Amino acid sequence: MYYDEPNTSYNGHSSYSNGNGVSQPTQQGWHSDDSFVPPTPEEPKKKRRKNGNGRLVALCICAALLGSVLGGGGAYLLMRGQVDGAVQQALEAAENHNTVTPNNTGSSVSSVQTTDLSSMIEQVSPAIVAIQAQGTSQSSFFGNGATTVSSGSGVIIRSDGIIVTSAHVIEGTDNITVYLKDGTTYKATVVGSDSKSDLAVLKIDASGLTAVSIGDSTQTKVGEPAIVIGNPLGELNGSVTIGYISALERTITVDGHVLTVMQTDASINPGNSGGALLNSNGELIGIVCAKSSAIEVEGLGFAIPMHIASDTIEQLLNYGYVKDRPYIGISFQQMQNRTDNAGIYIVQIANNSPAQAAGLQIGDRIVSVNGKQVSESTDIDQILQSCSIGQTIPLVVERNGQQVNVSVTLAETPQQ
């Protein structure tokens, strides 16, 4: 089980959103070239010992050189047998150690080709912001009028104040404050938000800001360095953690929505959501979205790759919502603790929606969608992703103990 922002509070109560507009109490738990050099033919014992000493000296020199450039990771590479490639990289890095060139436009950070991570981070970190959002909860569980507070991170992608963050950081809020690295604060407006992709775009009234360079996340490989910058715990803005890309194209479920993500072992904590996952060139390759919080789990963080996020961000900028997604017009909730009729229940139906036109009712238990049985809330999203706008699909629901067949014509998602 994954969680995103347990830092959100309702009158002091920790909570999370289930993605359907229903707040629930937080549940604990869940966020080389290897070169091989064949041995030389057998030599006399004395000569072999002499050459062995020479190799040892060379390895020590190379390890020291590599360590000065890459830190402890250099020695680790040597221990793994990546001697030839690592030494060559160290020699090249030593020759180009001070090749960082600041972007002179003052509006964005170009790719930083350097092994000096501190210089890269110094240039990029002004593009990462802290976010605090407040709103009023209408949940009867906590009582009307309860104040919600959510903290997260964001990434400046345009110098005129366009910021990308996670949708769950701002969901249900109406008072959003952005904190720059230098302490400057701005009130933000929501350009668009999409809970299914867990992405949102904000705008602050500013110009000449430092913006990140967007990297090609399709070229990311397992084992590459991963740098995370964000606002862990909602009060440590600009925190940097470094690890590696652990896996690509993982599928996880966050707030009832299925996300395809990259996995990293760089430390991620509550408040990092919406922050940056960067490669060693300082390019944005992912938006941090979740971590595994199981007690026995460590080093499992996730980010939405930019090649997946980019289309959603573009649509949010252009339309304020994701336009080309099939829409039924229902909110549903999974009932897991019922031994009699566990399943997916409709809890809300939008006015003038396909669901309303088809005669669906609140309280209907969804049995199947487009001929496929559903038992998890994520099943419905996955089925709809394979459908198209204007397509008529069959639904089977259980109502008053009897199965009812309905046909729903999918519409385009309306602007919210």
Side-chain angles (χ1 to χ4, degrees):
M1 177 175 175
Y2 298 90
Y3 81 94
D4 37 18
E5 287 304 328
N7 199 40
T8 301
S9 61
Y10 292 79
N11 283 352
H13 297 281
S14 181
S15 69
Y16 73 99
S17 170
N18 65 4
N20 300 313
V22 179
S23 296
Q24 300 178 352
T26 298
Q27 299 178 2
Q28 188 146 12
W30 347 57
H31 225 291
S32 102
D33 175 270
D34 276 317
S35 301
F36 173 73
V37 180
T40 56
E42 187 74 16
E43 296 178 343
K45 187 173 182 180
K46 288 185 177 181
K47 188 174 182 179
R48 186 167 61 252
R49 184 179 299 114
K50 181 178 180 181
N51 288 346
N53 293 336
R55 289 194 192 92
L56 179 59
V57 172
L59 285 175
C60 292
I61 294 173
C62 292
L65 175 60
L66 189 59
S68 68
V69 179
L70 299 179
Y76 180 69
L77 288 174
L78 289 175
M79 292 298 292
R80 293 194 60 180
Q82 300 175 348
V83 178
D84 292 345
V87 171
Q88 182 61 36
Q89 291 176 18
L91 292 173
E92 293 174 356
E95 293 175 358
N96 301 288
H97 189 61
N98 296 312
T99 59
V100 181
T101 303
N103 182 281
N104 293 323
T105 64
S107 61
S108 66
V109 177
S110 299
S111 298
V112 184
Q113 303 294 336
T114 178
T115 55
D116 188 351
L117 289 181
S118 61
S119 295
M120 179 274 285
I121 291 168
E122 184 179 2
Q123 292 182 57
V124 176
S125 57
I128 318 303
V129 302
I131 296 174
Q132 186 175 77
Q134 294 183 340
T136 302
S137 171
Q138 299 301 316
S139 171
S140 59
F141 184 87
F142 296 107
N144 291 336
T147 300
T148 66
V149 179
S150 177
S151 297
S153 308
V155 184
I156 301 173
I157 62 169
R158 275 186 7 197
S159 61
D160 60 349
I162 295 297
I163 297 169
V164 174
T165 186
S166 293
H168 69 258
V169 170
I170 64 164
E171 188 171 15
T173 66
D174 53 18
N175 184 2
I176 304 171
T177 305
V178 170
Y179 299 81
L180 302 189
K181 183 184 178 183
D182 63 7
T184 307
T185 63
Y186 293 90
K187 291 297 182 181
T189 57
V190 179
V191 177
S193 180
D194 181 59
S195 60
K196 289 185 182 295
S197 62
D198 197 22
L199 291 168
V201 176
L202 307 178
K203 177 72 170 69
I204 60 175
D205 187 13
S207 59
L209 300 176
T210 298
V212 297
S213 174
I214 307 298
D216 184 359
S217 56
T218 63
Q219 300 301 309
T220 302
K221 297 180 180 179
V222 173
E224 290 185 355
I227 299 94
V228 170
I229 306 179
N231 179 38
L233 306 183
E235 55 187 27
L236 300 173
N237 188 19
S239 292
V240 178
T241 56
I242 300 176
Y244 295 93
I245 298 297
S246 304
L248 306 173
E249 297 185 354
R250 293 290 199 202
T251 299
I252 65 171
T253 301
V254 175
D255 283 350
H257 300 297
V258 178
L259 301 177
T260 300
V261 295
M262 293 187 294
Q263 177 185 329
T264 178
D265 67 344
S267 180
I268 290 174
N269 292 284
N272 274 118
S273 288
L277 177 67
L278 307 166
N279 61 21
S280 58
N281 293 329
E283 298 169 327
L284 182 68
I285 56 173
I287 301 296
V288 174
C289 63
K291 67 167 289 185
S292 172
S293 63
I295 295 176
E296 70 276 11
V297 174
E298 184 175 342
L300 285 180
F302 303 93
I304 304 169
M306 289 309 296
H307 71 274
I308 294 176
S310 292
D311 179 64
T312 297
I313 293 170
E314 191 69 24
Q315 291 206 51
L316 292 177
L317 282 168
N318 292 334
Y319 310 112
Y321 68 106
V322 179
K323 191 175 182 181
D324 56 355
R325 180 181 289 142
Y327 168 75
I328 292 181
I330 61 173
S331 295
F332 45 84
Q333 185 171 0
Q334 182 172 346
M335 306 294 289
Q336 296 177 316
N337 298 324
R338 296 181 56 169
T339 57
D340 50 352
N341 286 316
I344 312 302
Y345 287 81
I346 297 176
V347 296
Q348 187 176 2
I349 297 176
N351 291 328
N352 303 316
S353 65
Q356 188 179 62
L360 290 172
Q361 298 180 13
I362 293 175
D364 286 348
R365 183 173 72 89
I366 303 174
V367 177
S368 68
V369 177
N370 201 24
K372 298 179 180 178
Q373 297 287 318
V374 296
S375 59
E376 303 283 341
S377 59
T378 55
D379 294 340
I380 299 176
D381 281 342
Q382 290 180 310
I383 293 170
L384 292 180
Q385 287 176 11
S386 63
C387 300
S388 57
I389 297 170
Q391 180 180 351
T392 299
I393 62 174
L395 267 72
V396 178
V397 299
E398 184 178 272
R399 183 183 302 160
N400 299 324
Q402 296 186 352
Q403 289 195 351
V404 178
N405 296 295
V406 298
S407 295
V408 179
T409 300
L410 302 176
E412 181 182 283
T413 299
Q415 184 170 4
Q416 299 178 351

